Amino acid sequence: MTVEQKINMALAYKGISQAALARAIGQTPSNFNNKLKRATFTQEELEQIAEALGGVYVFGFEFPDGTKI
């Protein structure tokens, strides 16, 4: 599964748009989308994404209810 697929699954799981997530981590929606398409997020950015979604990033997303993506 690609990083893009994992992020999109996590967004769907939490019911948050890409634009809202981008703003939550201090990026423009355009920049976020470009990074998503190129899969150029840093480990730190992936951790920020997970935190903004209420989970943690450990080579994937993990949520308090045990759901892993």
Side-chain angles (χ1 to χ4, degrees):
M1 186 177 306
T2 67
V3 170
E4 180 179 5
Q5 290 170 320
K6 287 182 180 187
I7 290 172
N8 284 330
M9 287 179 69
L11 288 169
Y13 174 75
K14 295 301 284 188
I16 297 171
S17 71
Q18 282 184 17
L21 176 59
R23 289 184 195 100
I25 63 168
Q27 294 187 18
T28 65
S30 176
N31 184 56
F32 183 88
N33 188 54
N34 288 336
K35 285 181 166 250
L36 187 62
K37 296 297 179 197
R38 292 187 313 252
T40 56
F41 290 108
T42 65
Q43 180 72 27
E44 182 180 335
E45 288 171 322
L46 292 170
E47 291 168 0
Q48 289 174 339
I49 290 167
E51 185 177 331
L53 294 172
V56 294
Y57 186 79
V58 185
F59 301 110
F61 296 94
E62 207 171 297
F63 296 94
D65 68 359
T67 300
K68 295 179 183 179
I69 299 173

